Amino acid sequence: MGRWSREVAPHFVEWLGGSGGSPSGGAGIDVGCGTGILTAAVLEGANPERIVGIDSAPGFLELARARVSDPRATFTQGDALALPAPDDTFDLAVSGLVLNFLPDKAAALSEMARVVRPGGLVGLYVWDYAGHMQIMRHFFDVASALDPRARDFDDGVKAPVCRPSPLRELFEGAGLQGVEVRAIDIAAAFESFDDYWTPFLGGTGSAPKYCMSLDEPAREDLRERLRARLPTGPDGEILLAVRAWAAKGRLAGAR
């Protein structure tokens, strides 16, 4: 999913600034920064004085440091549910494609709000697993029809927070005001069916883990049924929709 997350991040940052949300001249934190995709987008699109990327995985932090050479960025190991920062430290707290992996979503939002100064902005985005994330939706709709066990891997079922109403409720529950939720849609183009199918054989992520748990005949059956289902152009190209839900809100008033 990395190639699509790289496309979503700049759209998200542009939207943050669309209502006066740019942290230009301020400080930001990227919670669950991973390999630094969103950190880099914030640096380019919002021009903060500094930004701190937080992640629990040392390997991701090493990749982020290699990706983002801007001296305004630093990367630190930490827990999204207990951010290593005092209250009222940042003007902006963001997170990209992380919330559904956290065991306590409300605590994560509360932590993001805690480290933001009054008047600061909190924003994040998640994949629309249950709807227009068609890369995954086609896969799990076919897989679930063949094998009910596939639902145990389906993030559209396992991550109900990845919808507008739950996101809004989480933000409001964290004391954030003026909450907005919107869809960010991009096109996902594949040169061929094999270009679409091969990543499912990698074993990393919910769909690949399910795919590689199958024996070879079951996996081949899934493969061919997916091939028949996907919209395919005259030269074998496949064009799908990819949607993320983004949410933002401000911390208002003094603590």
Side-chain angles (χ1 to χ4, degrees):
M1 299 303 297
R3 55 176 147 169
W4 317 122
S5 62
R6 284 190 289 273
E7 293 190 34
V8 171
H11 292 290
F12 170 71
V13 173
E14 182 181 10
W15 177 63
L16 284 181
S19 57
S22 172
S24 180
I29 183 171
D30 180 2
V31 179
C33 64
T35 61
I37 289 171
L38 179 53
T39 305
V42 171
L43 286 165
E44 169 134 4
N47 193 32
E49 287 183 358
R50 65 184 182 92
I51 185 168
V52 179
I54 302 291
D55 204 281
S56 62
F60 280 158
L61 293 170
E62 288 181 18
L63 291 170
R65 293 185 186 107
R67 176 192 295 274
V68 184
S69 59
D70 193 308
R72 293 173 295 166
T74 57
F75 295 95
T76 303
Q77 189 170 4
D79 184 351
L81 304 184
L83 293 173
D87 295 355
D88 304 342
T89 300
F90 301 101
D91 302 287
L92 173 73
V94 295
S95 184
L97 308 175
V98 172
L99 182 67
N100 51 294
F101 297 108
L102 300 176
D104 190 334
K105 280 77 171 162
L109 259 294
S110 294
E111 274 294 277
M112 292 177 74
R114 177 185 67 78
V115 300
V116 167
R117 299 182 181 109
L121 188 67
V122 175
L124 59 79
Y125 55 99
V126 292
W127 290 129
D128 179 21
Y129 287 115
H132 290 275
M133 170 47 76
Q134 291 184 345
I135 296 171
M136 295 298 181
R137 217 39 289 130
H138 282 297
F139 178 92
F140 277 115
D141 286 350
V142 172
S144 296
L146 292 170
D147 176 15
R149 187 177 63 93
R151 289 177 58 83
D152 294 337
F153 294 79
D154 185 351
D155 290 311
V157 176
K158 295 170 58 183
V161 72
C162 298
R163 297 177 174 89
S165 292
L167 286 173
R168 183 179 297 278
E169 291 170 7
L170 274 176
F171 271 65
E172 292 174 347
L176 298 165
Q177 300 183 1
V179 177
E180 298 178 44
V181 181
R182 66 152 288 188
I184 299 175
D185 292 321
I186 61 173
F190 299 89
E191 293 180 355
S192 64
F193 177 78
D194 283 342
D195 187 27
Y196 169 84
W197 173 253
T198 300
F200 291 110
L201 306 180
T204 300
S206 55
K209 284 179 181 176
Y210 170 74
C211 188
M212 298 311 294
S213 75
L214 300 173
D215 60 29
E216 187 59 36
R219 188 160 51 247
E220 183 64 19
D221 190 18
L222 172 60
R223 182 180 190 275
E224 293 309 309
R225 288 176 186 255
L226 261 174
R227 185 198 295 273
R229 175 189 174 105
L230 291 175
T232 304
D235 296 320
E237 71 277 12
I238 296 169
L239 184 63
L240 301 175
V242 174
R243 170 174 290 177
W245 287 112
K248 63 181 177 180
R250 286 196 178 276
L251 193 66
R255 294 185 187 275

